[in-house]
Structures are given as C-alpha cells and as structure tokens.
C-alpha cells in the first residue's frame, strides 16, 4: 500500500486476518480538511487520522515502510502550542493479537503511535521521529508529538524503539497492564511518562510495567525527565485547555503498582526519576490525588545529568498516599554532568516503596 492518505478512508476497519506490506503512507498537507474530518477520541478531546482495528493484523515495514504525517505543516501552524484537531497518524484501536515490525512513523501531526483497547500486541524495530524542519533554533515546535502511547491495553511488548522529538517518548496511560518494553532510545523530550493518570472520574490503574535497557539522550531538544509518574489531583478542578472540553477534570482513582525501570543510561538529562501527584490543580488541591502508588523500582540508572533546572523545581509528591516527600534530599543529587547512580531521592512514604539500586 502506498501513496497519500487523502481522507477517503482515514478509518480502516479490518476484521479478517491480514498481512500488510507498506511502503510510505503520507498524509496530505490540508490541515483544515483534517481538522474537520478526523475521528473523535474522547480521551482529552483528541483526533485520529488513521486507525487499525481488528484481530490478527500484521504490519511489516521491512525497514523502509511507514507513515509520514507531514507534520511540518502542523508544527508551523501551531508553533509549539497544541490546538484541537491534530490527527494521530497511527492509532491501534480495539485490536487484538497483532504486530507491527520494522516500521517508522515520522513527522506525526500529534501522538505518533497510540494504542487504545489493545490486547496481545507486539511491536519490534520501530522508529518514531518528530523533528521540525522550520522551527527556529532552540524552540520546540513538536510538543504533543509523543512516540508510543498505551491506554486500555493488555499484554503489549515493544522491542527496539527509537524516538526523536520534544515530548513523551513513551506514555503509559490509564488502564495499561502487562506492558514490557526492552531496548529503547529516547532522543529529546520528556522521556517515559506513566500518565497522565486520574484526569477522568474512572479507574486509571496501571500495573505490571517493565522497561529495560533505555537510553535517554539530550540531542536537538532538551532531554527533560527520564521517567516520570504523573497523576492528577483528587478533586474535580476547572480547566481551560481544549483538552478538557470546558469540563473540570481530576479526581480519578486507581492503583499504580509493580513498575520496574531498569538499566537506564542517561546522557545530559535534566532530571532524575520524578513523581508528581498534583497535576491539573491549584495550590488548594495539592495532596488530594486518589491514585495509590506502590512497588516502583528504579534500578541501574547511570550516566549524566545536565541539571539546567534547579533541583528545588521538583513538585512534591504529597498525595493521599505519598506523604512525607522530602525535597531537601534532591539537592544532594549530583548536578552538572555528575555521575549517577543517583541517591535515594524518595523517602518516607508510608505506603510507597521505591528502591533505587546501584547498577551492579
Ligand atoms: C472501540 O470500541 C468502543 C467501545 O466498544 C467504541 O466506542 C469505539 O467506537 C471503538 N473504536 C473504533 C475505532 O471502532
Ligand atoms: C474499550 O472497550 C471497552 C469494552 O468494549 C469499552 O467500554 C471502552 O469504551 C473502550 N475504550 C476505548 C478507548 O475505546
Ligand atoms: C501476549 O501476547 C503475545 C503476542 O504478542 C502472545 O504470544 C502471548 O501468549 C500473550 N501472553 C498472554 C499471557 O496472553
Ligand atoms: C491473548 O493471548 C492469550 C494467549 O494466547 C489468549 O489466551 C487470549 O485469548 C488472547 N486475548 C485476546 C483478547 O485475544
Ligand atoms: C528486528 O531487527 C533485528 C535486527 O535487524 C532482526 O534480527 C529482527 O528479525 C527484527 N524483528 C522482526 C520482528 O522483524
Ligand atoms: C500483575 O502481575 C501479577 C504478578 O504476576 C499478577 O498476579 C496480576 O494479575 C497482574 N495484574 C494484572 C492486572 O494483569
């Protein structure tokens, strides 16, 4: 399959077993067309431009095939902000027992690869690259061009993944279970997000996630967090961005447990692992998060921190479950290209067990 995705069939439903051999699928540059005609996604009021749905779908790009979202026209239009209607170029939605291999998604208009309601999926040798050709030096015009996202997902493996861009390399979103990721390189952006969780009044649990062998590299864009867990405040709080559709958000609940992050090599990363439970709210909602976090392990983190942001910037994780976060510990972290392993930056949570172990 090759050529332009013009909009005649932005939504592809496949219910039979299919083997795809893809060269490049390129989205047209008609942003107003796509803003009007993409497929609505309730989560954060987003849109999909191309959806795979069904059972036993196997996509192989043979290392030369993939999707080109023609993202520059969107990055130029939005210039670093994110406006409503930017279609995701590759959404796997209501899909089981399927695979994607040797495949790229470049210049995505929005999140590059997004799984929603996916079970038994494997991905191997995937590249996701969001680089603006027109952004002035130093500005990040590719916000929200995440790499690999999961939601309502069970038993997903991702092996050998390269992300280049300015946002989340991987984002593990609500109700993701049994996610195994091995061998990823994130060049620029936020690194690996667990979240956002708790934005909606529903169970937002995330359980059994293993991410092994990750390299986080400062490149064209700053490399901000390496791994962060982000939960919303426990109250419904009025929001202004289009993502909330004029509704108050927050107040979601659930458990975040049994997450293992191991063998991380950091090159010029601004901050070490990070947990915040105060997303989306105001000072008076701090500490109200209903997401319970436990059994999080960061093991074998080595490399350098650039620490361009003062250590005190860390938001305290002072949710209902995570009490007694001690930011003073942060300041003992090595700064300015100092070597890891990082010291134990989290301590004293009554029910939060985080162990940061030295690489042996
Ligand atoms: C996926 O399934 C949900 C509920 O079963 C449905 O609302 C949604 O439209 C489906 N998505 C697609 C792309 O068919
Ligand atoms: C996932 O499927 C379940 C069950 O069919 C449905 O309730 C839910 O809305 C779906 N979620 C999405 C994001 O399609
Ligand atoms: C997970 O998915 C893979 C296919 O990607 C399958 O081979 C395996 O049996 C599944 N595991 C479980 C426990 O369902
Ligand atoms: C996932 O794979 C397992 C193991 O092969 C199988 O038992 C299960 O039915 C699959 N789940 C779905 C939703 O296809
Ligand atoms: C991924 O790439 C490696 C190295 O080229 C190759 O050996 C492996 O077969 C590829 N995986 C798949 C599923 O094609
Ligand atoms: C998480 O893993 C544990 C241990 O293997 C297992 O008992 C539990 O059922 C898993 N949870 C989910 C939601 O898959």
């Amino acid at each position: 399959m090759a050529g332009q995705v013009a909009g005649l069939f932005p939504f592809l439903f496949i219910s039979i077993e299919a083997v795809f051999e893809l060269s490049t699928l390129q989205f047209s540059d008609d942003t107003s067309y796509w803003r009007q005609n993409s497929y609505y996604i309730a989560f954060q009021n987003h849109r999909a431009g191309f959806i795979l749905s069904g059972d036993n779908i196997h996509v192989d790009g043979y290392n030369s095939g993939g999707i080109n979202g023609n993202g520059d026209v969107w990055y130029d239009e939005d210039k670093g902000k994110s406006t409503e209607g930017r279609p995701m170029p590759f959404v796997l939605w209501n899909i089981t027992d399927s695979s994607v291999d040797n495949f790229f998604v470049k210049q995505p208009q929005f999140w590059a690869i997004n799984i929603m309601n996916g079970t038994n999926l494997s991905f191997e040798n995937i590249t996701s690259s969001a680089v603006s050709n027109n952004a002035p030096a130093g500005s990040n015009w590719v916000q929200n061009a995440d790499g690999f996202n999961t939601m309502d997902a069970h038993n997903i493996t991702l092996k050998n993944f390269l992300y280049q861009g300015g946002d989340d390399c991987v984002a593990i979103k609500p109700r993701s279970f049994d996610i195994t990721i091995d061998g990823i390189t994130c060049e620029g952006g936020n690194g690996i997000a667990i979240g956002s969780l708790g934005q909606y009044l529903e169970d937002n649990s995330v359980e059994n996630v293993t991410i092994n062998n990750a390299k986080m590299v400062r490149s064209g864009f700053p490399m901000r967090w390496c791994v962060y867990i982000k939960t919303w405040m426990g109250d419904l709080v009025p929001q202004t961005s289009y993502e909330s559709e004029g509704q108050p958000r927050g107040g979601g609940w659930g458990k975040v447990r049994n997450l293992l992050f191991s063998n991380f090599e950091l090159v010029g990363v601004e901050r070490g692992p990070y947990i915040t439970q105060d997303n989306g709210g105001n000072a008076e909602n701090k500490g109200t998060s209903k997401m319970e976090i436990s059994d999080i392990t960061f093991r074998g983190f080595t490399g350098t921190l650039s620490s361009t942001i003062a250590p005190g910037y860390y938001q305290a994780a002072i949710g209902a479950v995570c009490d007694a976060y001690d930011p003073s510990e942060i300041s003992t972290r090595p700064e300015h290209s100092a070597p890891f392993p990082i010291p134990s930056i989290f301590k004293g949570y009554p029910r939060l067990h985080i162990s940061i172990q030295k690489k042996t």
Side-chain angles (χ1 to χ4, degrees):
M1 204 156 72
Q4 300 259 321
V5 178
L8 280 175
F9 48 96
F11 169 60
L12 184 62
F13 182 85
I14 298 166
S15 57
I16 52 163
E17 181 160 335
V19 179
F20 273 68
E21 293 180 20
L22 218 61
S23 63
T24 297
L25 212 66
Q26 182 167 320
F27 277 78
S28 67
D29 61 5
D30 187 347
T31 56
S32 49
Y33 171 82
W34 286 107
R35 284 193 198 273
Q36 300 304 317
N37 292 287
S38 292
Y39 200 91
Y40 176 69
I41 295 176
F43 186 80
Q44 295 180 345
N45 187 20
H46 291 322
R47 299 295 186 281
F50 180 74
I51 301 168
L52 283 181
S53 187
D55 306 321
N56 285 296
I57 300 171
H58 300 284
V59 176
D60 197 327
Y62 296 100
N63 295 315
S64 62
I67 292 180
N68 181 345
N70 225 330
D72 264 327
V73 292
W74 298 89
Y75 313 151
D76 293 0
E77 209 166 287
D78 277 10
K79 296 187 173 52
K81 9 180 246 313
S82 202
T83 55
E84 185 173 350
R86 288 168 56 170
M88 300 174 200
F90 194 44
V91 176
L92 298 100
W93 193 350
N94 301 334
I95 181 167
T96 55
D97 301 296
S98 296
S99 63
V100 180
D101 300 311
N102 312 308
F103 193 76
F104 69 79
V105 178
K106 69 178 178 190
Q107 288 247 315
Q109 309 90 313
F110 202 73
W111 302 348
I113 301 167
N114 186 28
I115 298 164
M116 294 191 300
N117 264 4
T119 301
N120 297 349
L121 307 182
S122 87
F123 295 77
E124 193 170 334
N125 306 330
I126 309 293
T127 303
S128 167
S129 164
V131 178
S132 165
N133 291 305
N134 305 324
S139 42
N140 177 7
W141 279 10
V142 292
Q143 278 173 28
N144 256 324
D146 294 9
F148 186 86
N149 289 9
T150 65
M151 191 171 100
D152 290 303
H154 297 260
N155 183 28
I156 313 292
T157 59
L158 169 64
K159 197 173 165 193
N160 195 15
F161 177 62
L162 169 66
Y163 172 77
Q164 297 168 310
D167 215 294
D168 295 335
C169 167
V170 169
I172 307 292
K173 292 192 157 69
R175 299 169 301 281
S176 296
F177 305 102
D178 296 317
I179 312 294
T180 307
I181 298 180
D182 192 9
I184 60 172
T185 300
C186 307
E187 295 184 1
N190 296 341
I192 293 162
I194 307 297
S196 302
L197 306 177
Q199 187 168 353
Y200 294 87
L201 292 173
E202 56 190 14
D203 188 329
N204 286 255
S205 295
V206 167
E207 200 173 331
N208 300 343
V209 176
T210 301
I211 299 183
N212 190 29
N213 297 319
K215 190 168 176 185
M216 324 299 279
V217 185
R218 186 184 188 87
S219 63
F221 309 110
M223 188 73 229
R224 289 186 285 267
W225 307 277
C226 54
V227 180
Y228 68 112
I229 301 172
K230 179 165 90 173
T231 73
W232 278 60
M233 298 203 182
D235 303 326
L236 272 175
V237 180
Q239 304 294 323
T240 53
S241 92
Y242 79 87
E243 295 188 358
S244 31
E245 298 185 271
Q247 303 297 311
R249 298 295 186 212
W253 56 88
K255 296 186 191 312
V256 182
R257 65 181 173 198
N258 193 25
L259 314 187
L260 169 64
F261 305 98
S262 58
N263 301 317
F264 273 57
E265 184 185 345
L266 313 185
V267 183
V269 173
E270 285 177 7
R271 292 180 248 175
Y274 165 65
I275 297 174
T276 172
Q277 295 197 290
D278 292 339
N279 198 64
N282 307 307
E284 66 262 31
N285 313 104
K286 269 189 184 302
T288 58
S289 175
K290 298 189 172 97
M291 298 297 304
E292 299 176 39
I293 301 178
S294 63
D295 292 323
I296 315 293
T297 305
F298 299 103
R299 179 186 298 152
F301 279 59
T302 60
T304 57
L305 287 180
S306 65
S307 285
T308 55
I309 296 175
Y313 180 81
Y314 278 79
Q315 255 176 293
I318 52 169
V321 181
C322 305
D323 256 329
Y325 178 89
D326 182 359
S328 67
E329 280 260 321
I330 301 295
S331 61
T332 66
R333 268 187 326 116
E335 285 179 69
H336 303 295
S337 300
F340 269 53
I342 49 178
S344 170
I345 58 171
F346 306 102
K347 69 171 193 186
Y349 300 110
R351 287 155 63 198
L352 178 66
H353 307 290
I354 295 182
S355 53
I356 298 182
Q357 299 164 11
K358 291 189 180 188
K359 193 172 187 171
T360 48

